[in-house]
Structure formats: C-alpha cells, structure tokens
Amino acid sequence: MADQSIALVVNDYDERALRAAETLRDWCAQHGVQVQACQQGCSADLVVALGGDGTILHAVHQLGSYDIPILGVKFGRLGFLSGAPANELIAAVEAALQGRVEIEQRAMLAVAAWSKEKCLGQFTAFNEALLGRNAQAAIVISRLVINGHLVYQQQGDGIIAATATGSTAYALSAGGPILSPSFRGIALVPLASHSLVSRPIVTAPKDVVRIELPDPSHAGVTLAIDGKAVLNNGESDHPLTHIDIALSTQSVSLVKTSSRLFFDTLASEFFGSND
C-alpha cells in the first residue's frame, strides 16, 4: 500500500467522524499511505468520506469530473450510499486500497439551463435537479416535455428530476418512487401540483427531458442542484425559460465492502426492519 494515497472528506460537525479521521491519518502514516484534501484534480487512489450521505454528496461535487472511487463510512443519520460501518473503517480502507471490494456505478444527470437560445449554465447532479417555486412566487406554471412531446402542463410548486440515487432523497419526500441504484433513467416528480393528472413519471435511459416555463408571470423559480441553488429567476436580465435534462456521461463510483443489499438498507433506514 506504500505510495498509494487517499483523499479525505470529513463531516466537521460530527465528533465521531473527526476522531475517526485522526485514527485514519495515524494508520496511513504507519503504512506509507499519503493523505490529501478531496478536490477537483486530486490524484488519489481512493476518496474516504467520513459522515453520512451528505458527506459523500459533498465529495462527489468536490471531485467534479474526476472519477475516483468513493468509500463512504457512516457516521451520519442516513447511510444509503455508505460502503462500510464506522467500526470497520480501517479494514474497509485497507480492502479498498488492495482492490478487495465491489465498485457500484451510480448515474448522474446533465442539466442545462436556458433563457430562450442563451445557455445560462450547465450542471451535473448526483441526486436531483429541482425547478421549484422561489420566495417571490405564489405558483409556478411548468410544462413537462419528454423527447419533444408535451406530457402535461401543471400549476404547483415545480418539478424534481431525480436519479435512482436521488429517488430516496427529496423526490421520495415529494411522493416519488424508490428506484434500485442500478436503474438508468430519470424520476420526474411534481411538487404540490394543483392537478390530479400530474403524476411521477420514470423515463428510459436515453430519454431527454425539458421543463418549460411558458408564462413569465408564473415563472418565479429557483434551480437547485443537489440542494444548492444555482439560478434564481428574476435576478438576471436573462430570465430562465427552460431546462434540459438527460443522463450524464459521468458516473460516480461507490465502494462497497459489505454484502448488504440496497433493500436491506432500505428496510433498516426507512422502515426500521432487519427482517
């Protein structure tokens, strides 16, 4: 393991994670493993995220387009993405550096925001893209278009577009489906729709989604990527008119050291069952 390196991401608000980070740094020093910060352009062999799913999400965005395997060690409340429990930290890191683990590929979304023909920004989402009502709006009118075909127009608080990973996050709270992690598609979940015909829709892998804002007087929205606001309509001379969403060519590599399956985790995290 000498000459190998890890990039470390720690939940600074969790004392257990901070103590574990010191333990890991000591172990790395004893075994000739370099420790560096997790950031875009880092050349680590492994990213170790000490916290919960939020810490792993932070690591994904810190890496940007660099696909380095991420080992999440659970210290937080939710651990859908974690690859090992806290009491197996050192064993999990050692196994990952030696290649004795499984790598699970998770899909991401490519999101482009437009003001008519002008591109306002391009983003990559691990969990979801949210086009939601901002503080100045009473209601949002949006159109859901898939592969160029209008599916429905709705009035409400907006629409969530989620990956399979994000299906257990905000989209689930809004009434969306739970998707197996290996699924390649997009879950589209309306928020507080005023219409009974607006229902969650799951797309195929190659489908392209467009969410339009046809009425400028009801287009008071914020575009948030994985919980972080990136655009707020009304703050620019170029108002947001639509966003395009498709599966990204990028993916996230999650390290799994346990044979515990997704639905085992689902049972224990959400339903309090280990049966």
Side-chain angles (χ1 to χ4, degrees):
M1 288 179 291
D3 299 325
Q4 289 184 295
S5 65
I6 66 169
L8 189 58
V9 183
V10 185
N11 181 353
D12 292 331
Y13 298 97
D14 193 316
E15 289 295 331
R16 299 165 301 169
L18 291 170
R19 290 194 297 268
E22 290 305 311
T23 299
L24 180 57
R25 289 189 180 96
D26 291 342
W27 180 88
C28 287
Q30 295 168 12
H31 291 81
V33 177
Q34 300 297 313
V35 180
Q36 60 181 290
C38 180
Q39 58 189 354
Q40 189 165 352
C42 69
S43 57
D45 299 291
L46 176 71
V47 173
V48 180
L50 305 179
D53 286 353
T55 308
I56 297 174
L57 185 62
H58 180 67
V60 169
H61 285 283
Q62 287 290 97
L63 287 174
S65 60
Y66 290 83
D67 185 15
I68 301 173
I70 300 174
L71 169 64
V73 181
K74 181 185 175 183
F75 290 88
R77 185 175 60 86
L78 287 178
F80 275 105
L81 306 179
S82 298
N87 61 356
E88 297 178 10
L89 167 62
I90 299 302
V93 171
E94 187 171 18
L97 290 175
Q98 293 176 351
R100 296 184 286 105
V101 293
E102 296 181 5
I103 303 294
E104 190 175 86
Q105 296 295 329
R106 296 291 187 99
M108 301 185 77
L109 300 180
V111 182
W114 298 86
S115 179
K116 296 183 179 179
E117 301 300 320
K118 179 181 177 60
C119 184
L120 302 178
Q122 296 183 346
F123 313 95
T124 303
F126 185 36
N127 273 350
E128 76 275 310
L130 163 66
L131 196 62
R133 179 173 63 87
N134 63 24
Q136 287 73 46
I139 196 171
V140 171
I141 296 177
S142 57
R143 285 180 182 155
L144 177 62
V145 179
I146 301 178
N147 298 334
H149 300 281
L150 176 63
V151 179
Y152 59 68
Q153 177 170 303
Q154 71 151 6
Q155 299 182 21
D157 285 356
I159 300 178
I160 299 171
T163 62
T165 300
S167 73
T168 55
Y170 194 175
L172 181 65
S173 299
I178 296 174
L179 302 175
S180 176
S182 62
F183 179 77
R184 294 293 185 269
I186 306 170
L188 299 160
V189 184
L191 286 173
S193 177
H194 291 200
S195 170
L196 293 177
V197 300
S198 300
R199 289 289 183 267
I201 293 174
V202 178
T203 72
K206 294 184 179 180
D207 288 341
V208 176
V209 174
R210 174 169 288 190
I211 303 173
E212 300 175 344
L213 299 169
D215 185 347
S217 65
H218 292 89
V221 296
T222 295
L223 173 61
I225 302 295
D226 290 338
K228 180 180 180 180
V230 294
L231 288 173
N232 188 27
N233 227 6
E235 293 183 350
S236 168
D237 294 333
H238 301 284
L240 181 66
T241 57
H242 61 280
I243 62 172
D244 290 330
I245 309 166
L247 287 187
S248 174
T249 56
Q250 294 177 229
S251 60
V252 174
S253 301
L254 294 183
V255 174
K256 298 293 182 179
T257 63
S258 170
S259 60
R260 192 182 192 204
L261 301 177
F262 169 74
F263 292 103
D264 295 328
T265 306
L266 183 68
S268 61
E269 296 284 355
F270 276 166
F271 303 115
S273 171
N274 291 308
D275 296 336

